[in-house]
Structures are given as C-alpha cells and as structure tokens.
Amino acid sequence: MAEDRLRELRNELDEINDDLLSLLSKRADIVQRIGQIKQARGMLTFDPEREKEQLDHLVQQNPGPFSDGAIRHLFKQIFQVSLGLQEEQRKLLVSRSRTTVDTVVSVKGIEIGGGKPIVVAGPCSVETPEQMEKVGAELQAQGILVMRGGAFKPRTSPYDFQGLGEPGLRMLKQIGQKYGMAVVSEIVSPNDVEMAIQYVDMIQVGARNMQNFELLKAVGSTRVPVLLKRGLSATIEELIYAAEYIASRGNEKIVLCERGIRTYEKATRNTLDISAVPILKQETHLPVLVDVTHSTGRKDIMTPVAKAALAVGADGVMVEVHPDPTVALSDAKQQMNFAEFESFMAELRQSHMIPDLEA
Ligand code: PEP
Ligand code: MN
C-alpha cells in the first residue's frame, strides 16, 4: 500500500517536473526576446535593480514551505542561467556572425581589406625632416600608399628616445602630403586623440595599449580609421574585445594587426602567431595586417614571413624602413635600409603576393 502511494507521489512529481521544465523553457524564450531588445538599445544584460525587484516580489508571494532564503537562492540560479543565455546570443559588432561581407577600411581613399594586399611602410620613429624626406621619396618610388612613423614611442626604458610628439606628427603629415601617401601613427594617450586627428589619416593603437580601454573609447568616438595591434600577451579573444570597445563607440573602421606575442622562444623578437590571421578573419569581419618587423625583429627572414602572412590571408603587411637604420633612434637593428626594402618589395611582387607597381 505504502509502495503504491510512493509511486503515485513520484509520478505526480515527475509531472510537475515536466511542467516546470516547460515553464522554464517558455521563460527562456521570453528572456531571449528581452535580450534582443536590450542589445538593440545598447543596454547591459545584467540589471541589478530589476533582479532585486523580482526577488522581493517572489519572497512576498512565498506561500512556504520553502524559506525566503531558499526561494531567493532558487530564483537567483534561474536568473543567472537566463543572463548566460542573453550573453550567449549577444553578437559582438565586430563578429563574423553579424555579416558575411568583409569590412573594407578606407584610409584617405586607400582600401585595406578590399582584396588588394597593401604594404604599410615607414620608419619606427619620425626623427628629422631630412630622414622623412628621404623615406617619403623612397616609399613613393616603391608604390607605397600608406606610410607609418612613430611620434609617441612607448619605449621600455624611460631614458630611450620617446618620440617627437606633435611636431613629429606634423612632419609625417607634410611628407605624406608631398608624396601622396596616407599616414598612420601611434597615439598613446586618450588626451592626444583630438590633436592627432588633425595630422594622421589612421590612428595606431600599439601593442602596449591594446587594453588601454580609455584610449580605445577615445578612438572609438572618432570616425578616423584605427590600426589596432595585438597586445604582447593578449589572446585573440582579448584582441577581438578590444576591437569591440572601438566599434561599440560607433567607429567600425578598424584594422587588426598581428605583431607577434611573447613566448619562451628567443630566436625572434616575438613569436608571430600566424594562425591568428585566419582565425581573426573567421571570427571577425575586419581586415587583418601582419607587422613583420616587430614580430620577427629579424631582417633576414622578413620576406618569407611576409609571404607566409599574405598566404594565410592577411590583407597586408607592415614593415619598418629607415634611410640609415644603424643610426635610427629606435629599433635600429630591425629596420630595413632602402636596398633591403627594395628587394623585399621586388620579391613580393615577383611572387604576385602584392600588385605590380603599375597596377
Ligand atoms: C610600432 O609599430 O611602432 C610599435 C611600437 O609596435 P608594437 O606596438 O606592435 O610594439
Ligand atoms: Mn619599431
């Protein structure tokens, strides 16, 4: 008899479980619909006040025998998994799942990501008008469309050359204009962004600042293209979230740049994570460049490494070029001189990895 009663009650419980499950699924469906509205409105998923309101209401309605604490605990669990659901469905603005169309970033009319690989070249640092004049003429002769040059240098030692600052940006702009090239330069402080966009066509966020969130927000508030470099010890996911910071402020003109990461390997300055290129292309719709200079730190392997980067789908490469690297104020060892740069370009062209000069 007692056996029968037990079975009966258990059957009843099973039915209630089924009902609870069906109610939970119904609830989850509504949670997802709310999630969509929150995302469209740019709202955060977690709303502590709304959660408190619901819990207080439930406790007030609690008929027992569960204690108020138990009810709070139970529903807190339901809220938590529901929030998880909203997080999961939230698609990042930079995510590939948003669009199958590749983003093409136009830098002063020069397209990055449009299927025509680009070489961004220039000195590590802007040093003197004479140096920049020589670089400008050389890059133009080599068909370079985007010139780089650092004016704010994030150096390891405070006693090393820190860059010329605003006068350096002015010099970069002048040479860019004279030789018909767009210019990109690193900015390290959010306070300098407004000033910098008077001079540069693209703002570089350097590896050391990839998670300087205030800087990311500041460049995200402009509508100037951003070259975002991967941090020295950043995961691919962290790089994507850094890009999302910029995009979330309304600036989707973002070019990602793999520049090597810290590993135990000493043969190269950093370890170029070549697999990051196809992964970033797969996970995001943004163009991807590879900085072959800072990743390898070695001129002797720059050409094959650049070919590898382009072969795995990079939209271009970045290299450092200096008229006389031996006297350069930063990165003297790794910058190419003009002869080296010319053979680098010739090799890439001969192997059809970049367009011919006339093209
Ligand atoms: C640079 O490109 O000038 C530079 C400093 O590179 P990174 O931030 O990748 O070290
Ligand atoms: Mn450098």
Side-chain angles (χ1 to χ4, degrees):
M1 198 61 198
E3 270 298 301
D4 288 351
R5 184 71 189 133
L6 181 61
R7 196 173 313 116
E8 230 175 76
L9 288 171
R10 280 187 168 160
N11 285 343
E12 221 174 300
L13 263 194
D14 287 348
E15 272 174 34
I16 292 177
N17 282 346
D18 287 352
D19 288 349
L20 277 175
L21 183 61
S22 141
L23 278 172
L24 281 172
S25 302
K26 211 164 144 187
R27 188 182 190 284
D29 185 55
I30 296 172
V31 161
Q32 282 180 321
R33 278 189 274 160
I34 292 175
Q36 280 164 3
I37 296 173
K38 281 184 185 169
Q39 180 163 17
R41 289 193 180 178
M43 292 161 70
L44 299 176
T45 43
F46 181 50
D47 179 349
E49 280 184 20
R50 165 83 183 136
E51 183 166 309
K52 186 179 178 305
E53 227 173 72
Q54 288 179 88
L55 286 175
D56 289 348
H57 172 78
L58 288 160
V59 163
Q60 238 172 34
Q61 300 293 114
N62 181 17
F66 283 125
S67 69
D68 289 353
I71 290 294
R72 277 186 192 278
H73 178 73
L74 261 173
F75 276 88
K76 193 104 185 121
Q77 299 297 313
I78 295 175
F79 294 168
Q80 224 152 44
V81 290
S82 300
L83 274 180
L85 216 50
Q86 287 185 350
E87 299 284 354
E88 253 172 50
Q89 73 178 140
R90 189 160 270 219
K91 286 180 191 159
L92 297 185
L93 294 167
V94 299
S95 164
R96 170 57 83 191
S97 57
R98 281 203 169 244
T99 171
T100 52
V101 181
D102 288 343
T103 291
V104 177
V105 175
S106 170
V107 183
K108 211 180 175 185
I110 297 138
E111 293 190 343
I112 304 183
K116 217 175 178 187
I118 189 163
V119 176
V120 177
C124 182
S125 300
V126 175
E127 297 169 4
T128 62
E130 297 72 31
Q131 169 229 20
M132 290 308 293
E133 176 58 40
K134 286 180 191 163
V135 169
E138 169 70 10
L139 297 188
Q140 189 195 46
Q142 287 302 310
I144 296 300
L145 303 171
V146 183
M147 173 168 62
R148 60 151 288 142
F152 293 89
K153 299 304 299 178
R155 306 301 300 281
T156 301
S157 165
Y159 305 115
D160 284 338
F161 177 60
Q162 301 288 307
L164 298 178
E166 188 171 350
L169 294 182
R170 194 172 299 126
M171 226 184 274
L172 183 70
K173 179 180 169 144
Q174 272 166 6
I175 297 296
Q177 273 175 341
K178 176 167 178 190
Y179 290 101
M181 290 178 282
V183 295
V184 52
S185 198
E186 177 168 357
I187 297 305
V188 295
S189 163
N191 301 330
D192 287 335
V193 170
E194 277 308 309
M195 173 278 290
I197 60 181
Q198 298 171 248
Y199 304 104
V200 301
D201 304 300
M202 187 181 216
I203 298 173
Q204 180 170 317
V205 173
R208 287 154 197 82
N209 276 300
M210 188 205 82
Q211 283 189 317
N212 180 341
F213 299 115
E214 295 311 312
L215 181 62
L216 297 176
K217 289 179 198 168
V219 299
S221 299
T222 73
R223 294 298 174 261
V224 177
V226 179
L227 179 64
L228 176 64
K229 296 186 108 183
R230 179 176 180 182
L232 277 72
S233 306
T235 62
I236 292 173
E237 188 184 27
E238 286 164 341
L239 171 59
I240 293 173
Y241 273 108
E244 185 71 11
Y245 259 91
I246 301 170
S248 70
R249 293 285 166 133
N251 187 358
E252 291 203 32
K253 296 175 193 160
I254 307 161
V255 176
L256 302 173
C257 182
E258 162 62 38
R259 48 78 71 206
I261 48 173
R262 280 264 165 98
T263 70
Y264 49 79
E265 182 52 66
K266 293 186 294 186
T268 47
R269 180 171 169 179
N270 291 283
T271 298
L272 175 61
D273 181 6
I274 200 83
S275 56
V277 178
I279 292 173
L280 289 168
K281 302 285 292 182
Q282 219 164 281
E283 298 287 323
T284 80
H285 49 79
L286 302 173
V288 181
L289 297 187
V290 171
D291 177 341
V292 286
T293 297
H294 292 97
S295 52
T296 63
R298 289 177 58 148
K299 295 197 276 191
D300 57 336
I301 57 167
M302 225 154 261
T303 307
V305 171
K307 284 183 183 173
L310 295 166
V312 289
D315 297 289
V317 292
M318 182 190 250
V319 290
E320 284 184 347
V321 183
H322 191 285
D324 185 359
T326 55
V327 298
L329 295 177
S330 57
D331 284 349
K333 273 213 305 241
Q334 67 186 27
Q335 302 198 58
M336 287 189 267
N337 63 32
F338 290 171
E340 288 161 338
F341 179 57
E342 283 157 27
S343 65
F344 171 84
M345 292 296 287
E347 272 234 41
L348 292 189
R349 286 204 168 103
Q350 269 154 28
S351 48
H352 306 292
M353 309 225 59
I354 54 169
D356 280 341
L357 257 183
E358 303 71 41

